[in-house]
Structures are given as structure tokens and as C-alpha cells.
Amino acid sequence: MALHLLKLCVGCESIADLESWIEENRLLHQRLKRPYRQFHTTRMIPKRLDEILGGGSLYWVIKGFLSARQRIEAIEPFTDSDGIQRCHLVLEPVVIPVRSRPVRPFQGWRYLTENDAPPDLSQQGADLAEMPESLQRELRALGLL
């Protein structure tokens, strides 16, 4: 059973904002003629690497709601120029919307078990997946979704 990571997507207003950021970075690398790999740098290195790399994803909390995920392709520990241990979470550059739910703020990342992970919106039906994200948030806040 896969183990996932949960992380706040600081600075993003929506899933579309996250996708836009990924595309901007991809285009920048293309202009600079550099190979593109999307990654997120984090200070702490997960101890349960094998479980995460066995099909795990990075679940993003956007504006207080667990909203989307990206599959984790690799975890690459490294030491930065200041001698501090860090790691790159190498991500598949495809953002998959999930059934949204509120999440309280936290620092760093948290483990998320397969049983606690929300289903992808594509598994919930096309109507909900096609609804604008802002409308989904409002309906969830009102307890209607």
C-alpha cells in the first residue's frame, strides 16, 4: 500500500495557479535549452522512502483545502551550498484534482496513508470535475458537497 505526503502549496490560489506555475517553469527550461524536471525542495528527508516510492503522491493543500496531487517519481537527498541536508521531491508534472476537504495549517509535510487519501475527482464523476474550483470551495464551505 502506497504512502503519500501532504504539503501546503504556499502562494497558490487554485489548482489552475499551480498548473500555470508548472507550465511557466517548463517553458523557462525550454527557452534556456535545459532538461525539465519538476521538483519540490524540502528540508526534511522522509524516512519511509520505499513506501512513498511505491506509488505515492504529493497531495497539495491550497487555500486551506486538500485539493490536488502529483505522483512522486523520485526522492533525491542532497546537501545545499550552506551544508544543510535537503531533498528534492521529483514530481510528475501532471496535477490531478482530488475530492477536496478542509485541512488545518501545518509546517513542513505530513505522511498521508492510502486509507486517508481522498479519491481523484475523475473517479467521482465528470460533473464535479468540470465544476469551477471556486464554486466547489463555496459549496463545501456551505456543507453542500
Side-chain angles (χ1 to χ4, degrees), residues 112-139:
L112 182 66
T113 65
E114 187 74 31
N115 291 338
D116 292 332
D120 295 349
L121 275 187
S122 62
Q123 297 171 352
Q124 295 268 308
D127 293 341
L128 190 56
E130 291 176 11
M131 187 182 297
E133 188 177 346
S134 58
L135 181 57
Q136 288 182 39
R137 282 181 204 273
E138 287 182 44
L139 292 174

